[in-house]
């Protein structure tokens, strides 16, 4: 009997418990959140006042014990939570934050609560707002229910104090009126005035005649050019809709696309140089290397009518001409970060296609970082089984914490925080790039930016220790638990730097490097460099590490713990040199810290095997690339002020991206003058133009014989704000085309004009020609090539003047549509062609050639 009673009681308790738990369940739409920036200008400091408003639409009361809110936002210290009477805000690590209820918190069903806080820095963009919000709801059984916030609204940035970074911010707001004034400097050119080939070749002469391309043509080449011939044939097949055959011998009576390898002396031993001849008899592309043949093919394809990219044309005309061409720089690179937010293999292949189209030859593939490890290393499986995943975790033993808006779930189908490339994926990527004459330089970030690797190896260590395998557990460990050093990286981490005194650190590095080398060998692709990062190692690191202090004493020539980075760089450089690999790294690998805290160029490593990638040309570091080149370092210039593509196009709140290095539009890469940076237009952090004559007078100029040490240019795409391929392509294009022009085309004449006024006139005229050509031809092609790219189309500029609406576009020739009834414009709306009477609110959008539409802007008539 007692047993039956006990069983009944147990069943009743279980049912009650289930009912109680069920009552705690909340649907994803039951709690909504709004966020707004209240003001960036409320104080004289770099601070922002912002606010969350939480709406409880569920059937339960939110209390101190049953909820927490987690989110990502660009690392900003919480200056004050004294405004948070009901909650506290805590930075967990990096850009990962928690909003936690205090004991007096209570939010009944149907109620809302506003929570204000003060943070460092500013919020001027929607992409600055907290992202990846999710609630952790605690049930009556202490289980957790994770709810990604689906009803999340970022309130409009509509007031100056919301759009300005500081009360002294002089950067003009990107309003329709401001944009109209900027666009007014441009004028549309006729088709016959446009550039036939982008990037512009070193020499080109047209005859005025044309050649008809049709199904009679074939590709003539020797077997050693099969790769380039197949590439040409496939592209021709798509453009003409007919099969273009390959042949190793001439076919009587048929015109040919002849690909011809010639002696190296004819092209000054430059494997990328080529000659393209289009005559009445056919087409000849000649070079001394396969790369030159490939670039000649890309130039040939530029001559084809843009309409063929939309609808194949069986018969088409191209101009008869002669082109003699070679690149300005041997290194023409694009850096893609897939760690902060992941991009799929297919998207990377799409990016490679567009890099190749504009004659870039290097993909710097950023595959390891604090927030993710993206390449399979079979001997260290934890790097991807753990380190490639991000999601909600309380212990970080199953995955990394969320970051950069990746949210609570680790499913790669819904989160850009999770993903990696298998070794087969990676080999496919590097082989595809190689066939398109692009080398892929992998990044293995050490000693900083290594949190994913560190945490992965701790997972490995703990697993093996539980199995009693102590020696194996410590074999690849990257930290010393006795290290009590205190530091904070620029991204907000206190645990992202490896211990450079541990032999296990070098064993790990060597193991990863050797597997990467094997992947290249297996794919049949050469590897000549590995990029080791080396940047942003924070102050305080290694200072309280017993093993590091012991190492410093043993070495005898290092008095500052931070300078152990030079010891690390020397060892890893030697390891790579043993494998016939050069060492790439951000500029910090070639800098050393003096006792007074100043960083100077370290001449000891300028032996040609270490390649600094110089990104910092801000303020007092404008001449850093000059100093490094003058010291003998071969370097890649990566200047943040012109070629960091993750910087937003402008300060419009709806224009995504970062802006710590300035705003970078399509023109900034094109204006770059790497050998004479002092003529580049600079502004300080608040948008105030810098007086070059006074600010740069004492800076180091580039010595004439050191110019050769600038071996190339590299544009950067960091992924903090990039969620998915659409956003990647939005920030990539058309900036990439401007960058390619500067990396390949000869030195522009305006770079050597000393008179500032004359130079500006020339620059404006040449930019007008370039952006006209990009708009009319390249954007049209990119609308259809590979199914179309998500390039940015800027919204129109517009003003109301004397009662009339006037509108224009940053892309000359783009169409502008508008509505006056509140509806969103499309290609069936009113087409703007001349000033029209303005009444009420007018909504406008621009449409680029090919049909891609901008976001809308509105302007209201005072009448």
């Amino acid at each position: 009997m007692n047993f039956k009673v006990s069983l009944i009681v147990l069943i009743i308790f279980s049912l009650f418990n289930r009912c109680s738990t069920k009552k705690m369940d909340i649907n994803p739409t039951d709690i909504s959140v709004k966020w707004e920036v209240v003001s960036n200008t409320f104080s004289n400091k770099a601070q922002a006042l912002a606010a969350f408003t939480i709406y409880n639409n569920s059937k339960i009361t939110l209390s101190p014990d049953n909820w927490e809110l987690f989110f990502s936002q660009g690392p900003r210290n919480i200056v004050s939570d004294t405004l948070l009477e009901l909650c506290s805000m805590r930075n967990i690590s990096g850009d990962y934050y928690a909003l936690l209820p205090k004991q007096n918190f209570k939010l009944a069903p149907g109620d809302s609560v506003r929570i204000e806080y003060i943070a460092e820095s500013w919020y001027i963009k929607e992409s600055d707002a907290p992202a990846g919000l999710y609630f952790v709801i605690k049930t009556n059984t202490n289980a957790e229910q994770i709810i990604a916030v689906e009803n999340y609204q970022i309130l409009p940035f509509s007031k100056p104090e919301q759009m300005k970074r500081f009360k002294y911010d002089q950067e003009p707001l990107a309003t329709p009126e401001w944009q109209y004034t900027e666009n007014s400097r441009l004028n549309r050119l006729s088709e016959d005035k446009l550039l036939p080939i982008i990037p512009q070749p070193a020499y080109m002469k047209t005859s005025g005649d044309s050649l008809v391309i049709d199904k009679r043509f074939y590709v003539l080449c020797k077997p050693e050019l099969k790769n380039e011939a197949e590439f040409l044939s496939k592209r021709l097949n798509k453009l003409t809709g007919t099969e273009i055959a390959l042949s190793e011998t001439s076919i009587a009576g048929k015109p040919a696309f002849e690909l011809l390898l010639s002696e190296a002396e004819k092209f000054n031993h430059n494997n990328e140089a080529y000659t393209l001849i289009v005559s009445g008899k056919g087409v000849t592309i000649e070079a001394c290397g396969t790369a030159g043949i490939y670039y000649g093919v890309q130039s040939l394809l530029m001559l084809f009518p843009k309409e063929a990219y939309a609808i194949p044309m069986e018969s088409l005309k191209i101009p008869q001409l002669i082109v003699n061409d070679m690149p300005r720089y041997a290194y023409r690179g694009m850096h893609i970060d897939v760690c902060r937010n992941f991009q799929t293999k297919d998207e990377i292949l799409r990016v490679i296609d567009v890099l190749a189209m504009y004659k870039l030859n290097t993909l710097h593939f950023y595959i390891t970082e604090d927030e993710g490890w993206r390449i399979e290393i079979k001997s260290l499986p934890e790097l991807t089984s753990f380190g490639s995943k991000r999601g909600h975790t309380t212990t970080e033993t199953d995955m990394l914490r969320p970051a950069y808006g990746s949210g609570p779930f680790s499913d790669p189908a819904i989160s850009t925080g999770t993903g990696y490339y298998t070794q087969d994926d990676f080999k496919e990527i590097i082989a595809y790039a190689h066939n398109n004459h692009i080398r892929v330089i992998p990044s293995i970030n050490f000693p900083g930016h290594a949190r994913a690797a560190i945490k992965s190896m701790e997972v490995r260590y703990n697993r093996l220790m539980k199995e009693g395998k102590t020696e194996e557990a410590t074999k690849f460990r990257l930290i010393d638990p006795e290290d009590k050093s205190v530091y904070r990286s620029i991204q907000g981490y206190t645990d992202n730097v490896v211990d450079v005194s541990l032999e296990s650190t070098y064993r790990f590095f060597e193991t990863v490097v050797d597997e990467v080398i094997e992947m290249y060998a297996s794919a049949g692709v050469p590897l000549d460099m590995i990029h080791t990062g080396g940047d942003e190692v924070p102050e305080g690191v290694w200072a309280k590490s017993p093993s590091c202090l012991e190492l410093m004493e043993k070495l005898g020539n290092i008095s500052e713990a931070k300078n152990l980075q030079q010891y690390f760089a020397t060892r890893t450089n030697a390891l790579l040199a043993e494998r016939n690999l050069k060492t790439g790294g951000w500029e910090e690998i070639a800098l050393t810290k003096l006792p007074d805290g100043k960083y100077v160029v370290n001449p000891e490593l300028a032996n040609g095997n270490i390649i600094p990638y110089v990104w910092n040309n801000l303020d007092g570091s404008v001449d850093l690339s000059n100093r490094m080149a003058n010291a003998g370092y071969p370097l890649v210039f990566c200047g943040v002020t012109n070629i960091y593509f993750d910087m937003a196009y402008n300060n419009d709140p709806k224009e995504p991206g970062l802006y710590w290095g300035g705003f970078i539009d399509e023109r900034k890469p094109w204006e770059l003058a790497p050998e004479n940076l002092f003529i580049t237009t600079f502004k300080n952090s608040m948008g105030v133009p810098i007086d070059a004559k006074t600010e740069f007078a004492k800076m180091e100029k580039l010595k004439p014989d050191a110019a050769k040490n600038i071996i190339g240019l590299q544009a950067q795409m960091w992924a903090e704000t990039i969620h998915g391929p659409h956003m990647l392509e939005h920030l990539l294009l058309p900036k990439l085309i401007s960058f390619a022009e500067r990396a390949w085309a000869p030195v522009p004449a305006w770079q050597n004009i000393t008179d500032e006024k004359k130079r500006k006139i020339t620059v404006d005229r040449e930019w007008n020609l370039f952006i006209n050509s990009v708009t009319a031809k390249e954007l049209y092609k990119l609308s259809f090539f590979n199914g179309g790219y998500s390039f940015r189309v800027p919204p129109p500029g517009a003003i109301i003047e004397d009662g009339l609406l006037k509108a224009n576009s940053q892309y000359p020739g783009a169409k502008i549509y508008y509505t006056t009834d509140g509806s969103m414009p499309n290609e069936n709306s009113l087409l703007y062609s001349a000033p029209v009477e303005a009444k009420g609110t007018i909504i406008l959008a621009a449409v680029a050639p090919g049909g891609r539409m901008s976001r809308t802007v509105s302007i209201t008539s005072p009448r």
Side-chain angles (χ1 to χ4, degrees), residues 110-417:
D111 286 351
S112 64
V113 61
R114 180 181 172 86
I115 302 166
E116 291 189 344
Y117 65 98
I118 298 173
E120 285 184 352
S121 193
W122 310 278
Y123 300 101
I124 65 168
K125 290 185 165 292
E126 291 182 2
S127 55
D128 286 340
L133 281 68
Y134 67 96
F135 283 94
V136 174
I137 303 297
K138 298 178 181 179
T139 70
N140 289 349
T141 58
N142 290 323
E144 291 184 343
Q145 181 185 356
I146 299 174
I147 300 174
V149 179
E150 294 183 1
N151 290 340
Y152 176 47
Q153 182 182 1
I154 300 168
L155 297 182
F157 294 65
S158 56
K159 302 173 183 177
E161 62 266 28
Q162 295 172 312
M163 295 184 282
K164 290 283 188 179
R165 288 168 284 179
F166 196 54
K167 63 176 62 178
Y168 303 114
D169 185 353
Q170 295 188 35
E171 188 75 34
L173 293 176
T175 62
E177 294 84 355
W178 172 84
Q179 193 64 66
Y180 180 86
T181 301
E182 291 292 300
N183 297 346
S184 296
R185 301 174 185 176
L186 302 168
N187 61 282
R188 187 177 182 184
L189 301 178
S190 59
E191 288 274 343
D192 62 304
K193 298 288 197 304
L194 303 181
L195 300 172
I197 299 172
I198 296 177
Q200 293 185 70
Y203 171 84
M204 181 178 68
K205 183 178 181 180
T206 58
S207 70
D209 295 324
S210 59
L211 171 68
V212 176
I213 305 294
D214 55 30
K215 61 183 179 182
R216 297 173 301 145
F217 275 76
Y218 68 102
V219 178
L220 173 62
C221 70
K222 298 300 182 183
E224 56 265 34
L225 292 175
K226 182 181 178 182
N227 175 67
E228 291 68 34
E230 288 181 345
F231 172 80
L232 173 59
S233 177
K234 288 177 182 177
R235 287 292 171 86
L236 291 172
N237 292 346
K238 289 184 178 180
L239 293 171
T240 65
T242 59
E243 291 292 325
I244 305 294
L246 274 61
S247 177
E248 294 181 16
T249 58
S250 298
I251 301 175
K254 283 194 172 187
F257 298 99
E258 184 177 9
L259 309 183
L260 181 64
L261 282 177
S262 186
E263 62 276 6
E265 290 78 9
K266 186 173 183 179
F267 294 92
N268 199 25
H269 296 270
N270 189 324
N271 289 332
E272 295 185 312
Y274 69 91
T275 294
L276 166 64
I277 300 174
V278 180
S279 68
K281 297 180 180 179
V283 176
T284 301
I285 298 173
E286 185 179 1
C288 68
T290 56
I293 296 293
Y294 182 84
Y295 295 130
V297 168
Q298 291 286 13
S299 290
L300 170 65
L301 295 173
M302 285 273 171
L303 302 175
F304 281 57
K306 62 185 181 182
E307 293 80 7
Y309 284 81
I311 301 174
M313 304 169 67
E314 288 190 16
S315 177
L316 45 81
K317 291 182 180 180
I318 62 173
Q320 293 187 28
L321 48 66
I322 297 175
V323 173
N324 293 315
D325 200 11
M326 61 183 295
R328 176 181 179 183
Y329 293 108
Y331 185 111
R332 304 176 302 282
M334 184 71 223
H335 159 281
I336 301 287
D337 169 12
V338 294
C339 296
R340 272 58 180 268
N341 282 292
F342 187 67
Q343 297 289 341
T344 65
K345 177 190 71 176
D346 288 344
E347 179 59 20
I348 297 302
L349 298 180
R350 279 172 56 84
V351 169
I352 288 171
D353 279 339
V354 80
L355 299 184
M357 178 185 286
Y358 296 106
K359 302 187 176 77
L360 300 192
N361 66 358
T362 304
L363 170 61
H364 177 184
F365 207 15
Y366 199 75
I367 50 178
T368 79
E369 241 296 350
D370 291 326
E371 298 83 11
W373 185 282
R374 305 302 188 190
I375 183 171
E376 179 186 21
I377 303 297
K378 290 183 177 179
S379 59
L380 299 170
E382 289 84 0
L383 287 170
T384 46
S385 64
F386 170 87
S388 72
K389 298 189 296 184
R390 296 205 303 259
H392 178 69
T393 175
T394 57
T395 61
E396 265 194 311
T397 56
D398 49 347
M399 67 185 85
L400 294 167
R401 294 171 179 143
Y404 299 113
S406 58
F409 304 120
S410 62
D411 182 357
I414 59 175
S415 171
T416 54

